[in-house]
Amino acid sequence: MSHDNRDVSVVVTPSTTSPPQDVEGSPPIEAPPLRKVGRSYLLWLMIASFGGSLALMVPLSYSLAVRIDDLAPGHEERLGYVTGSAQFVYLVLSPLIGLWSDRTRSRLGRRTPFMIGGTLLGTVALVGVALAPSVLLLGLAWVVGMIGWSTAGQAVQNVQADRVPEEQRGRVSALTGVMTQIAPVIGIGLAYGVASSTFLVFLVPGVLGAALVVLFPVFKPEGDSRALVRTSGVTLRSMVASYGFSPRRYPDFGWNWLGRFVFFMGLYFNTTFGTFFYAQRLDLPVKEVAGIVAVIGTIGVVAAAGGAIGGGFLSDKLGRRKLFALIGSAVFVAGAVTEAFAHSLPQLVVGAVLMQFAIATFSAVDQAIVFAVLPDRAEAGRYLAVVGFAQKIPSAAAPLIAPLIITLGVSDGGEKNYTQLYLLGAVLALVGGLIVKLKIKSVR
């Protein structure tokens, strides 16, 4: 198996869990060795993370809305149908894609074929989205695009689990996380620059993102995976098993999944209706809130960068992960409570900045915890897809539950009760942090 010796040095890292047997009882899949990554490798990993987020998030944040407004003016709800359907399809497929990735044996490695294949699929789909003559065809094209770009992004994350040792996981998770925060802001700026052409609005961020993803395996090749131990193959039983895990057998993985789920449920309660919340508290029409949301979002990116880098680097330096996950949860509570009782722009900005700082801190550190408690690093693709459920399910469920909360106890035509929604989000975020801090035993 080939390696770039200029950027790595061997690090012996004891495993916290013994690799499980395959579901059919065959020998376990062999994982590649953990090797400390150098600055050059980390730089290209950050660039790939930036590119994947650029290509995926610009449509979700901006260009899909523009395209749907062209095809169906006044029917904003169709954006939810398009994005929700694509998210659901990928959510169902992601464990199977992860299972396939784990078992891939090729000259290019396990993850590189999915990086390149997902990027090509996503780029072609963007052309379909840009040229679709109806919302239905646009939606079908975006399902393909979501599968492609999400697969490429997941492959980049899988490489981190394959290569990065424990002592570097905090900073690597932080720096790649910052890239995914910055990419949509820069990408929307690029899209604005070519706004006169709907085709270029999709293609410029997409092609640039694709190039940045593909350059990673070109300059830092994964290495041949054909020598890794191969199992008896994928069966119906193994495919079904890929959607879950045994919390009794892997309690730390289970507790972290639950803590992550509860934290993100609180997060999505407090972010889903942000535009309507700001309009209510500032007594402004919804259309006039866009500029305020943009300003708060820009400041929030800076705060998120500080939270991710600070939490990630300090958790590496001190060898403490769970403490920073709890700190992130506590700061989120402070931000959510501030927002819940805010009725002026300065208060709203303070609350939003605190929450963005907290989300980035928790996410960067918890990502490092995830890598440490994986039941089997050789099956990182499968297990990281399962971890994704802990974030994707709240992102789908919270928008359905939140309307019930903001109307609870409110008379017809009365002002929506965002205070109780934000306070509930704060409680959930704190509970999520406490679960991670108190229940996980194999990580400090």
Side-chain angles (χ1 to χ4, degrees), residues 124-154:
V124 171
L126 288 181
V127 175
V129 171
L131 300 179
S134 68
V135 173
L136 176 61
L137 291 177
L138 180 151
L140 292 173
W142 182 242
V143 168
V144 176
M146 172 65 74
I147 293 171
W149 292 118
S150 296
T151 296
Q154 189 62 50

Side-chain angles (χ1 to χ4, degrees), residues 5 58 65 91 120 134 153 170 177 199 238 257 275 326 351 395 397 416 437:
N5 293 324
V58 171
L91 191 67
L120 291 175
S134 68
F199 187 74
S238 66
W257 193 98
T275 298
L326 184 59
S395 74
K416 300 296 188 296
K437 179 66 173 68

Side-chain angles (χ1 to χ4, degrees), residues 13 226 340:
T13 305
R226 289 175 293 181

Side-chain angles (χ1 to χ4, degrees), residues 156-247:
V156 174
Q157 191 177 69
N158 290 342
V159 168
Q160 294 182 52
D162 291 341
R163 288 288 302 272
V164 180
E166 170 60 25
E167 64 268 25
Q168 287 188 301
R169 286 173 180 158
R171 71 193 71 181
V172 172
S173 296
L175 292 172
T176 54
V178 168
M179 291 297 101
T180 62
Q181 293 273 345
I182 295 173
V185 178
I186 295 177
I188 291 173
L190 290 173
Y192 277 137
V194 294
S196 58
S197 169
T198 301
F199 187 74
L200 293 180
V201 163
F202 283 93
L203 262 291
V204 169
V207 170
L208 177 58
L212 296 179
V213 172
V214 172
L215 284 174
F216 175 42
V218 169
F219 283 94
K220 299 297 173 186
E222 182 184 351
D224 197 321
S225 67
R226 289 175 293 181
L228 296 178
V229 173
R230 185 190 300 269
T231 65
S232 57
V234 177
T235 64
L236 178 61
R237 183 181 176 188
S238 66
M239 286 192 292
V240 173
S242 71
Y243 285 87
F245 63 95
S246 170

